[in-house]
Amino acid sequence: MLSTILSLRPKATDWLFSVKTFAASILALFIALAFDLDRPVWAMATVYIVAHPLSGVLASKAVYRVLGTILGGVAAVIFVPNLVSAPVLLSLVLAIWVGGCLFLSRLDRTPRSYLFMLAGYTAAIVGFPCVGDPTAVFTTAIARCQEISLGIICATLVSHIVFPRHIGPVIAARIDGWMGDVAKLADQSFDPDTDADSLHNERARIAADLGELHGLALHLGYEKSGFAGRTRQLHALQSVVAALLPVLYGIHDRLIAIKGELGTLPDDVTAILENITAHIKAPSHDQGRLGALHHDIDVFAARVAQERDWAGLLQINLANRLHRFLDFHDDCRTLWDGIRAGEVPTDVLDRWQEGARASALHRDYGAAFRSGLTALIATVIVCGFWIASGWPSGSTAAMMAAVGASIMSFLDNPVPALKGFIRYTALSVAVVLVYSLAILPGIDGFALLVMAFAPYFILLGVLMATPQTYGFGLAMLVNVVMILNVDTAYSSNVSALLGGGIASLAGFGVAAIVTAFVRVVPVDSFIRGLVQANWRDIAGIARGTLNIARMVMIRRLLDRQGLILPRLAMATRHRETLIRVMPEVSIAASLYDLRRIRLFVDRDISARIDVLLRNIARHFEARLDDFDRAPDPKILAEVDNILGLVTVMQDDEQRQKLLIPLVALRRTLSKTDAPKLDRAAGNATRPMPVSPEIGEIA
């Protein structure tokens, strides 16, 4: 950490953030002391806990912190007086509350998760110190709510009034970068010779940004930038970008297949791709050029519409994908232009709104349960020792166990961070001793106190502006504030300071140990779980038991890809996972379309599609136990049989609707060979046997 700190080169905005945060904390402390509140340091510490360089993020954290504090205080007021005579039961109830709230927090991947986490450990912070005097719990809860609210008000006012930095421009810069990334990805996807790894990296990076920007957009309702109130529109824009990724994957894959079949791309295809590239790179959005491009694709599609060989079917599929890409890209530009102008067309917004729902984000119930269980066990262990030993500082240790198990739960492996927090807490005790024994005894008046605090707090506040040193800066500031416990009159009780410091270390230590045994999952297992979650969804789509919208399904699969990306560097054996994810999105979309279309086609083809869907469902269910299982040859044979029947259908509309998902599914299942369509078409005049269903153990 020392080398990281020494290598930092803070910008002027970092110093401004630190000075603003220090000013807000001093204002909160001054007001708390002036009104003789019970714990003035709670107000001061809260300013640093909610501090953020972006005013919208700070405001949303502030709102959820207030609500979480109130909910946790209410829980403590209910639990402590009624259960204080049964300390074991009270400890268990508070531990269950902390664990349950943390479970809900880990399931919610929006800023609202902060509310649940705060509600959990606030009950511990208010409740455990009042075990010896249960009549004080209501007063303590009110005091905490007052002082937390005071700190939040001061932090919010200073952040929004003094050189505010809004989140809107940050999001705008990200989206402008997106538009450039999409154009670059399209240009690469239109070349069948593009390096596969380069394409995978580009798609994966955009997918990872989708989840991050989803959370940032939720903060827009808490500030007054030009994008305030545009959260819904921005989420719709993210849905469009998410939809573009599998479409571009499909285009690139079909181009590779067509070139493999014909030896080169047809001239009209090459011309269309060049024109599309010029269109999406143009600085202005030309609707006239867009209409001309659709017309060119229609002419190309009419030329190959009646083709029955594999190369022809691939070109039919390609034409559909090109139309879809242009439509999606048009919606993308329309949404972004509308957001910047303050007026988004309702029809475009409605078209993509469903894909922006929270259900489109992955929820890891297993990780959430383990996080909640960790907080429960850690709190119970410390409480058990406290009850058995009569430890005077046991309440502090119990509080810190609950806090320690909660605040780092968003990490895959919180143990290193908890170890660091323990080290920083020990350093904080040393800083507190210096202040308490050498500096504060000579302080007479609030102005001198501010001068004594300024060098340390401003310097450490700068570290909070950088992600690499944020944890160190926050721990060194909040711990010093809380352990020092500044009040209206100076008092130096070294034994109490040391006792509180040791108890804090013990609480965090127990949280770290329990986390190591219960919470930590190897990154390989985490990635494996995400991949298997995709397989469960694909099986559910094939069986018809997963009833979600098509775009919600695509967003969810891509969201998991975004979660996998940053973890691949630590799990090299899963390097091929990203290569799998996009084909699985294609499979899921094809199955979704086939399940819907089968209701309107010939009974024989519909029956064959039903068998195909059940066999694919069983295959992916079997892969949950056999991770590397290859598809059963019967699945590929049945796809070829259905394709053979569809190619000779007389109803052009039904033929077209069936060919699009079937060609995509066939190409995804096997990239090394082509279906024997001539043989299947020749046999189409007489009944063809339906392939048997794969057994339940297949």
Side-chain angles (χ1 to χ4, degrees):
M1 179 57 67
L2 181 60
S3 60
T4 303
I5 294 173
L6 293 176
S7 65
L8 285 181
R9 298 295 181 268
K11 301 186 291 291
T13 53
D14 298 338
W15 287 105
L16 178 62
F17 163 71
S18 181
V19 172
K20 287 170 56 178
T21 306
F22 177 68
S25 70
I26 289 299
L27 176 62
L29 179 63
F30 176 79
I31 295 173
L33 291 173
F35 285 90
D36 197 21
L37 299 183
D38 289 347
R39 295 290 299 277
V41 293
W42 278 350
M44 187 178 185
T46 296
V47 173
Y48 280 99
I49 291 172
V50 301
H52 196 281
L54 300 175
S55 57
V57 177
L58 185 151
S60 69
K61 285 180 66 177
V63 169
Y64 290 126
R65 185 170 180 85
V66 169
L67 295 175
T69 300
I70 293 172
L71 184 58
V74 170
V77 169
I78 293 172
F79 296 150
V80 174
N82 291 298
L83 300 174
V84 71
S85 59
V88 174
L89 181 59
L90 174 59
S91 299
L92 183 60
V93 168
L94 282 173
I96 291 173
W97 172 264
V98 173
C101 289
L102 187 58
F103 172 77
L104 296 176
S105 174
R106 293 286 288 119
L107 287 182
D108 193 330
R109 291 178 54 202
T110 71
R112 187 175 53 241
S113 64
Y114 196 47
L115 185 156
F116 297 114
M117 184 175 69
L118 259 294
Y121 70 68
T122 294
I125 291 174
V126 173
F128 285 128
C130 295
V131 169
D133 183 12
T135 59
V137 67
F138 182 77
T139 304
T140 303
I142 293 297
R144 182 162 179 82
C145 290
Q146 288 176 333
E147 287 145 15
I148 295 295
S149 299
L150 173 61
I152 285 169
I153 290 171
C154 292
T156 304
L157 285 176
V158 172
S159 177
H160 282 71
I161 293 174
V162 182
F163 302 109
R165 186 183 173 195
H166 296 302
I167 195 172
V170 176
I171 292 178
R174 293 281 186 90
I175 295 175
D176 284 336
W178 262 9
M179 302 302 287
D181 289 343
V182 168
K184 177 183 176 183
L185 178 62
D187 193 23
Q188 291 178 323
S189 299
F190 293 164
D191 182 0
D193 298 322
T194 299
D195 178 65
D197 282 343
S198 176
L199 275 176
H200 297 323
N201 292 336
E202 282 295 314
R203 286 193 293 258
R205 188 166 55 80
I206 295 173
D209 287 343
L210 287 172
E212 181 184 357
L213 202 59
H214 182 90
L216 284 176
L218 291 171
H219 297 294
L220 282 173
Y222 300 89
E223 66 171 29
K224 296 299 180 181
S225 72
F227 293 108
R230 299 292 175 187
T231 298
R232 195 163 65 99
Q233 292 89 333
L234 284 168
H235 284 171
L237 177 61
Q238 293 167 54
S239 292
V240 188
V241 176
L244 283 169
L245 296 180
V247 172
L248 286 173
Y249 166 81
I251 290 172
H252 182 69
D253 180 77
R254 304 309 174 264
L255 292 173
I256 292 174
I258 292 169
K259 185 175 181 180
E261 289 292 311
L262 302 179
T264 185
L265 295 180
D267 292 340
D268 48 357
V269 171
T270 302
I272 289 171
L273 295 175
E274 290 174 350
N275 291 334
I276 292 177
T277 301
H279 169 69
I280 63 177
K281 288 184 176 180
S284 59
H285 195 43
D286 188 343
Q287 289 291 335
R289 179 181 289 186
L290 176 66
L293 287 170
H294 277 300
H295 176 265
D296 291 344
I297 297 170
D298 284 335
V299 171
F300 161 64
R303 179 177 67 78
V304 298
Q306 299 304 316
E307 295 288 342
R308 294 183 178 181
D309 63 344
W310 184 229
L313 300 186
L314 287 168
Q315 292 177 78
I316 293 172
N317 187 277
L318 175 65
N320 175 269
R321 291 292 184 267
L322 292 174
H323 274 309
R324 187 173 295 184
F325 171 76
L326 286 175
D327 288 339
F328 289 179
H329 187 266
D330 179 49
D331 283 351
C332 191
R333 293 287 292 263
T334 301
L335 278 169
W336 184 219
D337 291 343
I339 290 170
R340 286 186 293 193
E343 185 176 355
V344 176
T346 304
D347 59 329
V348 180
L349 182 61
D350 291 343
R351 189 154 54 239
W352 294 101
Q353 189 60 35
E354 193 166 23
R357 293 180 179 178
S359 58
L361 299 179
H362 171 71
R363 290 186 176 184
D364 193 335
Y365 288 90
F369 176 77
R370 289 191 299 273
S371 295
L373 184 63
T374 297
L376 189 157
I377 293 174
T379 306
V380 166
I381 289 174
V382 175
C383 287
F385 179 79
W386 175 24
I387 293 170
S389 65
W391 186 15
S393 300
S395 61
T396 301
M399 287 190 302
M400 292 301 104
V403 172
S406 300
I407 59 174
M408 303 296 179
S409 61
F410 65 93
L411 298 173
D412 289 345
N413 182 4
V415 175
L418 286 172
K419 289 180 178 178
F421 210 90
I422 292 170
R423 291 194 299 271
Y424 308 150
T425 301
L427 287 174
S428 300
V429 173
V431 174
V432 166
L433 289 175
V434 173
Y435 266 106
S436 182
L437 299 178
I439 299 176
L440 293 186
I443 297 298
D444 182 17
F446 191 77
L448 286 178
L449 181 66
V450 174
M451 293 175 63
F453 279 162
Y456 176 83
F457 280 77
I458 292 176
L459 183 61
L460 270 294
V462 171
L463 301 182
M464 289 181 58
T466 304
Q468 294 89 335
T469 55
Y470 172 82
F472 175 80
L474 179 65
M476 292 298 294
L477 288 167
V478 173
N479 279 322
V480 166
V481 170
M482 295 303 297
I483 300 174
L484 197 58
N485 196 21
V486 175
D487 211 331
T488 51
Y490 168 74
S491 63
S492 178
N493 187 337
V494 176
S495 62
L497 290 177
L498 290 176
I502 292 171
S504 296
L505 293 173
F508 275 108
V510 172
I513 293 171
V514 175
T515 298
F517 281 100
V518 178
R519 168 72 174 79
V520 178
V521 174
V523 67
D524 282 345
S525 299
F526 186 85
I527 293 177
R528 189 184 187 97
L530 289 171
V531 174
Q532 289 177 328
N534 278 351
W535 294 344
R536 277 190 290 271
D537 281 356
I538 293 173
I541 293 165
R543 288 198 182 277
T545 56
L546 183 62
N547 297 314
I548 58 175
R550 190 178 192 274
M551 195 58 233
V552 172
M553 168 199 68
I554 291 174
R555 280 290 307 274
R556 187 184 294 179
L557 269 60
L558 289 174
D559 180 57
R560 293 188 184 119
Q561 180 179 7
L563 294 174
I564 290 170
L565 174 65
R567 296 168 172 86
L568 277 184
M570 298 177 287
T572 53
R573 58 178 293 206
H574 284 285
R575 178 64 185 84
E576 301 301 311
T577 296
L578 278 178
I579 300 175
R580 290 183 183 180
V581 172
M582 200 58 71
E584 287 170 359
V585 174
S586 179
I587 290 174
S590 299
L591 297 178
Y592 187 97
D593 293 340
L594 285 173
R595 176 158 287 281
R596 178 173 52 86
I597 295 169
R598 83 191 210 290
L599 302 174
F600 308 101
V601 299
D602 176 84
R603 183 177 299 177
D604 179 43
I605 294 178
S606 178
R608 292 174 181 276
I609 291 175
D610 284 339
V611 172
L612 174 66
L613 291 172
R614 286 194 292 270
N615 285 342
I616 291 177
R618 287 171 180 160
H619 164 69
F620 279 101
E621 288 165 351
R623 290 185 73 178
L624 297 176
D625 297 319
D626 184 359
F627 194 78
D628 297 312
R629 183 186 185 88
D632 193 290
K634 293 177 182 176
I635 295 176
L636 205 59
E638 185 59 24
V639 173
D640 289 352
N641 286 341
I642 298 172
L643 269 173
L645 292 174
V646 172
T647 55
V648 296
M649 287 179 64
Q650 299 302 311
D651 188 325
D652 289 340
E653 183 179 356
Q654 285 193 1
R655 180 178 185 269
Q656 179 82 357
K657 288 181 177 179
L658 281 167
L659 283 177
I660 300 306
L662 284 170
V663 170
L665 183 61
R666 178 57 170 78
R667 176 66 185 164
T668 307
L669 291 174
S670 176
K671 299 182 184 298
T672 58
D673 64 344
K676 304 298 188 290
L677 296 175
D678 52 347
R679 183 180 61 190
N683 293 333
T685 55
R686 64 178 186 271
M688 298 171 65
V690 179
S691 298
E693 293 190 28
I694 302 173
E696 290 294 340
I697 60 172

